[in-house]
Amino acid sequence: MEIIKDGQIVANDWRHLSDDEAVPEQAVTVSLSRWRNEKDRLLGQGIPLGLRLNSDDPLEEIVDDLKHFSIIVLEFRQFTDGRSFSLARLLRERYGFDGEIRARGDFIRDQMFFLTRVGVNAFEPKDGQNLLDMLPALTEFTVKYQAAVDVKKPLRGRPT
């Protein structure tokens, strides 16, 4: 399967494990529940780890663990739930997470540009979405008026 990462279509190198699935010898993401229950065992595996968060998962609970993750996957169960936008921005700005932040699931093409503004740099849409059709959404807007993760000053405060 392929994803969009850093503005390119690339292979997905991560496997999303269910809570009862055996841990293979490859890069995996786990749910917050599994992380809570198996943290020491997962760290002992010596494989790249990622964490999947739902929009209602308490981010403050994992702040001290962020150093263990190469990727945080924000699960979009419904495109109308914008709480993951806030999670992405908090991860980047408040907690300094510099790894991959991936939007996964039920987001729509029109949200992609705005997701990049809050720190998302990878996209794994639900099955059936055409990545080539989605890719231009990242560059359709050329002017960014407000300050955000990607541009620290609003337009009126930037040199012309």
Side-chain angles (χ1 to χ4, degrees):
M1 182 172 88
E2 294 180 317
I3 61 166
I4 296 173
K5 181 177 177 183
D6 298 325
Q8 305 289 322
I9 296 175
V10 299
N12 180 13
D13 296 331
W14 291 88
R15 182 167 169 197
H16 306 298
L17 292 184
S18 64
D19 286 347
D20 58 352
E21 195 173 356
V23 180
E25 294 292 322
Q26 69 181 83
V28 297
T29 70
V30 296
S31 68
L32 179 58
S33 174
R34 187 163 189 174
W35 176 249
R36 286 176 182 144
N37 295 327
E38 301 178 32
K39 177 179 176 177
D40 292 334
R41 190 170 78 74
L42 290 166
L43 289 173
Q45 296 276 353
I47 58 171
L49 286 173
L51 182 67
R52 294 189 315 274
L53 295 174
N54 291 312
S55 60
D56 56 354
D57 284 336
L59 188 57
E60 298 77 20
E61 183 178 314
I62 55 102
V63 170
D64 292 336
D65 295 334
L66 287 174
K67 62 185 173 279
H68 300 298
F69 305 117
S70 302
I71 178 176
I72 302 291
V73 178
L74 303 176
E75 298 279 6
F76 281 75
R77 293 180 276 191
Q78 295 179 314
F79 78 90
T80 56
D81 184 355
R83 293 177 289 177
S84 289
F85 283 78
S86 298
L87 291 179
R89 189 160 188 174
L90 287 169
L91 283 164
R92 291 283 190 227
E93 289 187 336
R94 183 176 294 172
Y95 303 120
F97 183 74
D98 61 358
E100 179 180 325
I101 298 179
R102 183 183 299 186
R104 178 177 184 239
D106 190 22
F107 59 88
I108 59 174
R109 181 188 186 282
D110 292 349
Q111 294 172 315
M112 291 174 61
F113 173 80
F114 301 103
L115 282 163
T116 63
R117 304 260 7 246
V118 295
V120 172
N121 67 310
F123 300 89
E124 184 179 337
K126 63 184 178 182
D127 292 336
Q129 302 252 356
N130 184 325
L131 296 180
L132 285 174
D133 290 342
M134 298 181 88
L135 195 57
L138 301 176
T139 57
E140 287 175 338
F141 296 103
T142 57
V143 177
K144 299 171 181 174
Y145 293 98
Q146 298 88 2
V149 170
D150 60 344
V151 177
K152 301 299 180 197
K153 290 186 176 184
L155 182 64
R156 74 168 202 271
R158 287 181 245 151
T160 55

